Amino acid sequence: MQSNRLGAVRHVLRDAEERQEDIEKIERTVGELADMFNEVSQMVRQQQELIDSVEAGVEDAHVNVESGHKEVKQAIIYRIKARKKIWIFILLLIIIIVIIIIIVYFTVIKK
């Protein structure tokens, strides 16, 4: 009977040791999993910095494009005004030349 008890105790001890090993294995696995989560968290933070940088660059580009669009509109307006002034100048020049020709013609003819 004692050998039976001794066998049962050894069996219980073996089961307890196996459970202990299983618990230690689970503990290592949980530790490894925690390390992986920490690595993923660090990668996400690094990528967030990159995303923030890209987003800031896109916002700057958008502002610059809008500013450029306004400047192009203003340049078109200036160009139209400049053309009007050139045509007015040419018209005035033609009028002055015609007046000079008339004056010279009548001055030469009257003599």
Side-chain angles (χ1 to χ4, degrees):
M1 178 121 203
Q2 199 162 17
S3 68
N4 232 359
R5 280 186 159 181
L6 186 58
V9 169
R10 284 185 183 157
H11 181 68
V12 169
L13 180 61
R14 202 170 335 125
D15 286 344
E17 287 173 347
E18 286 176 4
R19 285 187 190 128
Q20 180 66 29
E21 288 175 11
D22 289 343
I23 290 172
E24 288 173 358
K25 187 176 179 182
I26 291 172
E27 186 179 335
R28 283 191 303 271
T29 304
V30 168
E32 291 171 1
L33 187 59
D35 290 342
M36 283 193 251
F37 273 114
N38 288 334
E39 289 175 14
V40 168
S41 174
Q42 184 180 5
M43 284 190 261
V44 167
R45 270 187 260 125
Q46 289 172 348
Q47 289 176 353
Q48 185 61 43
E49 292 171 5
L50 180 62
I51 289 171
D52 291 343
S53 175
V54 168
E55 184 179 5
V58 168
E59 287 175 5
D60 288 345
H62 179 70
V63 168
N64 290 338
V65 166
E66 284 183 350
S67 175
H69 182 65
K70 288 177 185 176
E71 289 179 15
V72 167
K73 278 185 169 181
Q74 190 65 39
I76 290 171
I77 291 169
Y78 288 152
R79 183 65 185 149
I80 290 170
K81 288 180 180 180
R83 266 194 206 137
K84 277 184 180 179
K85 289 177 184 177
I86 288 172
W87 282 111
I88 291 171
F89 176 75
I90 290 172
L91 183 62
L92 287 174
L93 188 62
I94 291 172
I95 291 172
I96 291 172
I97 291 173
V98 168
I99 291 173
I100 291 174
I101 290 174
I102 291 173
I103 292 174
V104 168
Y105 177 74
F106 283 115
T107 323
V108 170
I109 289 182
K110 286 190 174 185
K111 284 189 168 184

